Amino acid sequence: MTLLFAPLALLPNGWAENVRIDVGADGAIAAVAPGAPCPADALRLAGPVVPGVADLHSHAFQRAMAGLAERTGAVGGMDSFWNWRETMYGFLARLTPEDVGAIAEMLFVELLEGGYTGIAEFHYLHHAPDGRPYPARGEMAARILGAAADAGLGITLLPVLYAHGGFGGEPPTPGQARFLNDVDGLFEIATAARAACAPGQRVGLALHSLRAVTPKELSTAVAALDAVDASAPIHIHVAEQTAEVDACLAWSGRRPVAWLLDNAPVDRRWCLIHATHLDADEVAGIAASGAVAGLCPTTEANLGDGLFPAEAFLAAGGAFGVGSDSHVTLSPFDELRVLEYGQRLTTRRRGVLGAPGSGCGADLYRRAAAGGAQALGVAGGAIAAGMRCDLVVLDDDDSKLIGRSGDALLDAAVFATPNRAVRDVFVGGNRVVTEGRHPRADAARAAYRAALKRLSEA
Amino acid sequence: MTLLFAPLALLPNGWAENVRIDVGADGAIAAVAPGAPCPADALRLAGPVVPGVADLHSHAFQRAMAGLAERTGAVGGMDSFWNWRETMYGFLARLTPEDVGAIAEMLFVELLEGGYTGIAEFHYLHHAPDGRPYPARGEMAARILGAAADAGLGITLLPVLYAHGGFGGEPPTPGQARFLNDVDGLFEIATAARAACAPGQRVGLALHSLRAVTPKELSTAVAALDAVDASAPIHIHVAEQTAEVDACLAWSGRRPVAWLLDNAPVDRRWCLIHATHLDADEVAGIAASGAVAGLCPTTEANLGDGLFPAEAFLAAGGAFGVGSDSHVTLSPFDELRVLEYGQRLTTRRRGVLGAPGSGCGADLYRRAAAGGAQALGVAGGAIAAGMRCDLVVLDDDDSKLIGRSGDALLDAAVFATPNRAVRDVFVGGNRVVTEGRHPRADAARAAYRAALKRLSEA
């Protein structure tokens, strides 16, 4: 049993002082006692303590192209998600498993330093550049799980079923060759990934999108997952771009989210990634299903996706979490700020998404912690008995936190920068970041630099 | 003469290697020679070198309330700029000159660490809490100039004429008592500020807004400035909120920017702060005047102001720069990213503001550097002979810059986080930040903490 002691901590019913946290050998919180004396053998946490947030949507390799696809097209002003996707396909064509492992470890180290305690890796880069499976079919998956274990970041790996290039089973493009599997092939990867899991790591399922799987493949894959783990999470990209909505309407007569809600067993296990373009029925439908809306505000802004109808969704009681997705930013605070700012810029109001009477940043943070844990399929997202002991100790030497207390600490962490709010990070009760630094940062940077050098010469 | 040597530097006509930069005793660049050998007595700069950006709009004291006004109103969803302003008035009511000096120095240190090399302080907190001038009328101005000198940040101080509470000479509210001067009173402050200037510091004029000055006061103040310094910059808040546009229409029959363009000698000396709500004629009018649009994207997002029509304004050849304003963020990269993201979210395109064929982030950065210098009334914003030697050395150990070259360096610095892109900062040829740290950071933090403690007990 490990004992932690927090002078100030955010518990499910609010901020509490002098909180004793007992952590079991399994990394879960065994007991929480506010107003307690500090045991002699406890580790005294050096700042206000908040639950960690899981990053619910990641394509780890994309970190290495952050900022690379920002060159404005020669025709000017016509850049879009779809050009960006071509750039991304070109970049990933050269990546080896060793490259992906190096990129993932650098990323995971920086996500921990940014305050994330877990990640859902939406893993679709399965095969060799020519599209053939690696001799060990789970090679790439194992590299990502290994990088997470080395960095100490919690992970739920979601092997992605990607079978087609468009609605109605259209053939894939050459740029998609590394992603492709049928359901059996994907479950070979998933089985290998389960075998490669370190303690606390989990494997679920992702369906790339309704563009990439047929209705039959969707139901077959969900049934195959149920046979192995009937509570494992299921994620899907949906309604990110208006062109996708239009194509789905042309194919099925239904909008993508409406189609999914009618034709798949969407419930609390599910996480709908992006879900940007929704009508009012779809907003209500996702909220009622209990599924998590997997919002990726900085990537959605970077790619020009548009704005998720967050105010209506939260008013309907919807659950949400945040993902760093393409990894242009690596902090839950950044994601929540951009989420709220998008709403403010279009409504011309402030405090749009915060619950009345609470700190807007603090309220968004609490909900994102809960939604992130749900999306990863782990008990977590709050400081309470039974939850994984994923904690962030805020740095009260950060100028923007000086003089702040209670919700205003998280309001400042979310709405003010620079991002220096993270002092220490604990995952499963283990301290993985100390004084803002991960001990593997320098080694990870050296390996990352070598990988990018190989890529530039490839 | 100081000699600097940059392995890679962004010059006015593009990136160049092996650049020798000769700096005169006045802090200006005397000569720039690309493709040169490194002189034995030169300081070799440890990364790619870009011109510094001046922060063209600041209310320094507001840094101490970043994140404080994020509590959602009990009625929910009705928070606005105008509630925020009430919170701000309540906060500033207790500030002493000592407090303002401490807040400003902490801010200026962090702005330098964030990569800014100068600031235009839109200075309206003139008097004691009861509204009476301090015995030394320029007391507050001198504190701010002193903090900038101590931190080594370039500054143009803009004493603000604030005489009324609304269009048509409405009386001010009690919350505005510390701001109020007639033109003569303001010029007493300006004269005292000029006397307090350290070398390289400059004093201009700000008109708070068309709400706060009458047409006669505006013309009298501009004439008084011309008598002292006919090239000094003139700034004004304009068209930040739709309520302000409506009130201006009710008063004059004209929109605020249209009124200003018709009734004031707006030219390159002028900087129009916010100018968020414009019609097409106003967009063209500002661009044609040569004035700088002073954009504050993160504050405008935080306050729910709305979106400046940036795409049309840049297409019309308009000049712009960025300001951190309320100081919720302290980095030019953050401001430029939020500027472009607002456009992407509403147009659903990428690369909206970048010139065709250039890096979007790099192009925005270059233009903001030029516009910022223009707004401060200093020769600067580019690495060229005659310009003040304000430089930022990028940190090529920052993971997001690894493997990047040319414009992609600035694209990554703007569009990817965390903000660790700044290694060293030079202002007027002096190195003021080394390896990301300002030498006065710890001392400034201690003084800032003491000031906030005093305020909480006041």
Side-chain angles (χ1 to χ4, degrees):
Chain A
M1 185 75 76
T2 302
L3 296 182
L4 305 176
F5 186 81
L8 183 68
L10 179 59
L11 304 186
N13 53 358
W15 292 88
E17 294 186 352
N18 299 320
V19 180
R20 173 182 160 155
I21 303 169
D22 297 16
V23 188
D26 60 353
I29 296 173
V32 176
C38 180
D41 53 344
L43 176 64
R44 194 180 171 87
L45 303 175
V49 181
V50 296
V53 171
D55 180 343
L56 58 61
H57 192 61
S58 164
H59 309 290
F61 75 86
Q62 291 184 14
R63 173 61 179 176
M65 52 175 289
L68 255 195
E70 300 294 346
R71 198 161 188 84
T72 304
V75 292
M78 294 306 293
D79 297 287
S80 72
F81 171 88
W82 307 102
N83 305 130
W84 173 87
R85 196 177 72 158
E86 287 307 311
T87 305
M88 187 263 286
Y89 285 179
F91 179 77
L92 68 82
R94 289 165 293 164
L95 292 172
T96 66
E98 186 184 4
D99 297 333
V100 168
I103 295 166
E105 185 169 356
M106 179 82 262
L107 170 68
F108 295 164
V109 161
E110 293 200 299
L111 289 172
L112 284 162
E113 290 180 345
Y116 283 116
T117 51
I119 199 166
E121 176 68 19
F122 198 101
H123 169 59
Y124 61 78
L125 188 60
H126 300 300
H127 305 316
D130 63 2
R132 280 190 290 191
Y134 288 106
R137 201 160 178 128
E139 169 81 36
M140 280 288 198
R143 295 281 183 163
I144 291 168
L145 290 167
D150 289 346
L153 181 69
I155 188 168
T156 296
L157 186 90
L158 305 164
V160 175
L161 181 61
Y162 201 125
H164 304 284
F167 288 97
E170 273 185 30
T173 66
Q176 296 162 343
R178 301 188 73 175
F179 317 155
L180 303 174
N181 285 289
D182 58 18
V183 175
D184 288 345
L186 186 78
F187 276 80
E188 278 187 50
I189 292 171
T191 300
R194 275 194 187 82
C197 277
Q201 296 186 336
R202 189 164 194 191
V203 174
L205 168 69
L207 309 158
H208 179 272
S209 60
L210 296 179
R211 303 192 304 272
V213 299
T214 62
K216 179 151 194 329
E217 286 160 346
L218 187 158
S219 58
T220 306
V222 170
L225 178 68
D226 284 350
V228 185
D229 182 349
S231 69
I234 304 169
H235 290 216
I236 185 169
H237 285 143
V238 68
E240 180 172 7
Q241 286 280 323
T242 53
E244 180 188 349
V245 176
D246 296 342
C248 188
L249 279 164
W251 164 64
S252 69
R254 300 284 279 156
R255 301 166 56 86
V257 168
W259 189 95
L260 190 72
L261 291 169
D262 285 352
N263 292 281
V266 176
D267 64 9
R268 284 179 50 84
R269 286 169 78 187
W270 286 67
C271 181
L272 275 52
I273 303 297
H274 305 307
T276 305
H277 299 290
L278 301 179
D279 66 20
D281 287 344
E282 292 173 313
V283 167
I286 301 175
S289 76
V292 176
L295 308 180
C296 307
T298 66
T299 295
E300 291 157 10
N302 186 283
L303 298 183
D305 287 345
L307 282 164
F308 176 80
E311 189 175 14
F313 183 72
L314 296 190
F320 80 94
V322 291
S324 59
D325 190 359
S326 68
H327 305 300
V328 286
T329 69
L330 307 180
S331 147
F333 308 118
D334 282 347
E335 298 297 342
L336 294 171
R337 183 172 64 253
V338 173
L339 173 62
E340 168 72 16
Y341 278 1
Q343 304 293 316
R344 291 188 189 185
L345 281 168
T346 48
T347 65
R348 296 192 196 144
R349 288 184 283 118
R350 305 183 73 244
V352 180
L353 301 180
S358 69
C360 182
D363 188 48
L364 288 170
Y365 187 90
R366 275 187 286 257
R367 292 199 259 178
Q374 182 184 333
L376 264 66
V378 299
I383 303 176
M387 300 291 177
R388 192 164 68 182
C389 184
D390 295 346
L391 307 175
V392 171
V393 182
L394 299 177
D395 184 351
D396 45 19
D397 279 334
D398 177 7
S399 70
K400 66 183 183 282
L401 301 190
I402 290 175
R404 302 290 183 262
S405 61
D407 278 6
L409 287 162
L410 282 170
D411 287 350
V414 168
F415 287 108
T417 69
N419 285 335
R420 294 171 178 166
V422 175
R423 172 170 277 157
D424 298 334
V425 178
F426 289 75
V427 176
N430 296 313
R431 178 154 53 180
V432 289
V433 170
T434 303
E435 290 292 331
R437 293 285 293 165
H438 191 291
R440 292 179 69 103
D442 290 339
R445 183 176 294 103
Y448 178 79
R449 189 187 293 279
L452 262 65
K453 187 159 190 296
R454 278 197 305 275
L455 280 166
S456 72
E457 293 163 355
Chain B
M1 185 74 74
T2 302
L3 296 182
L4 305 176
F5 186 82
L8 183 68
L10 179 59
L11 304 185
N13 53 357
W15 292 89
E17 294 185 354
N18 299 322
V19 179
R20 172 182 160 154
I21 303 169
D22 297 16
V23 188
D26 60 353
I29 296 172
V32 176
C38 181
D41 54 346
L43 176 64
R44 193 180 172 87
L45 304 176
V49 180
V50 296
V53 171
D55 179 342
L56 59 61
H57 193 61
S58 164
H59 310 290
F61 75 86
Q62 292 184 13
R63 173 60 178 174
M65 53 175 288
L68 255 195
E70 299 295 345
R71 199 160 188 84
T72 305
V75 293
M78 293 306 292
D79 297 286
S80 73
F81 171 87
W82 307 102
N83 306 128
W84 173 87
R85 194 177 72 159
E86 288 307 310
T87 304
M88 187 264 284
Y89 285 0
F91 179 77
L92 68 81
R94 290 165 292 165
L95 292 172
T96 66
E98 186 184 3
D99 296 333
V100 168
I103 295 167
E105 185 168 356
M106 180 82 261
L107 170 68
F108 294 165
V109 161
E110 293 200 299
L111 288 171
L112 285 162
E113 289 179 347
Y116 283 116
T117 51
I119 198 166
E121 176 68 18
F122 198 101
H123 170 58
Y124 61 78
L125 187 61
H126 300 301
H127 305 317
D130 63 2
R132 281 189 292 193
Y134 288 106
R137 199 158 180 130
E139 169 81 37
M140 281 288 199
R143 295 281 182 162
I144 291 168
L145 290 167
D150 290 345
L153 181 69
I155 188 168
T156 296
L157 186 90
L158 306 164
V160 176
L161 181 61
Y162 201 125
H164 304 285
F167 289 97
E170 272 186 32
T173 66
Q176 295 163 343
R178 302 188 74 175
F179 315 156
L180 302 173
N181 286 288
D182 58 17
V183 175
D184 287 345
L186 186 79
F187 276 80
E188 277 186 52
I189 292 171
T191 301
R194 274 193 187 83
C197 277
Q201 296 186 336
R202 190 164 193 190
V203 174
L205 169 69
L207 308 159
H208 179 271
S209 59
L210 296 179
R211 302 193 304 272
V213 300
T214 62
K216 182 154 193 326
E217 286 160 347
L218 188 157
S219 58
T220 306
V222 170
L225 178 67
D226 284 351
V228 185
D229 182 349
S231 69
I234 304 169
H235 290 216
I236 185 169
H237 285 143
V238 69
E240 179 173 8
Q241 286 280 322
T242 54
E244 181 188 348
V245 175
D246 296 341
C248 189
L249 280 164
W251 163 65
S252 69
R254 300 283 281 157
R255 300 168 56 87
V257 168
W259 189 95
L260 191 71
L261 291 169
D262 284 351
N263 293 280
V266 176
D267 63 10
R268 284 181 49 84
R269 288 169 79 186
W270 285 66
C271 180
L272 276 50
I273 303 297
H274 305 307
T276 305
H277 301 288
L278 301 179
D279 68 19
D281 288 344
E282 291 172 314
V283 167
I286 301 174
S289 76
V292 176
L295 308 180
C296 308
T298 66
T299 295
E300 290 157 11
N302 186 282
L303 298 183
D305 288 344
L307 283 165
F308 175 80
E311 188 175 13
F313 182 71
L314 296 191
F320 80 94
V322 292
S324 59
D325 190 358
S326 69
H327 305 299
V328 286
T329 68
L330 306 180
S331 146
F333 307 119
D334 282 346
E335 298 297 342
L336 295 171
R337 181 171 66 254
V338 173
L339 173 63
E340 169 71 16
Y341 279 0
Q343 304 294 316
R344 291 188 189 185
L345 281 169
T346 48
T347 64
R348 296 192 196 144
R349 287 184 283 119
R350 305 183 75 245
V352 179
L353 301 180
S358 69
C360 182
D363 187 49
L364 287 171
Y365 186 90
R366 275 188 286 258
R367 291 199 262 178
Q374 182 184 332
L376 264 65
V378 300
I383 301 175
M387 299 291 177
R388 193 164 67 180
C389 185
D390 295 346
L391 307 175
V392 171
V393 183
L394 299 178
D395 184 351
D396 46 19
D397 279 333
D398 177 7
S399 69
K400 65 181 184 283
L401 301 189
I402 290 175
R404 302 291 182 262
S405 61
D407 277 6
L409 287 163
L410 281 170
D411 287 350
V414 168
F415 287 108
T417 70
N419 284 334
R420 294 172 177 165
V422 175
R423 173 171 276 159
D424 298 334
V425 178
F426 290 75
V427 176
N430 296 313
R431 178 153 53 178
V432 289
V433 170
T434 303
E435 290 293 332
R437 294 286 293 165
H438 192 290
R440 292 179 70 102
D442 290 338
R445 182 174 295 103
Y448 178 78
R449 189 187 291 280
L452 262 63
K453 188 159 188 296
R454 278 196 306 275
L455 281 166
S456 71
E457 293 162 357

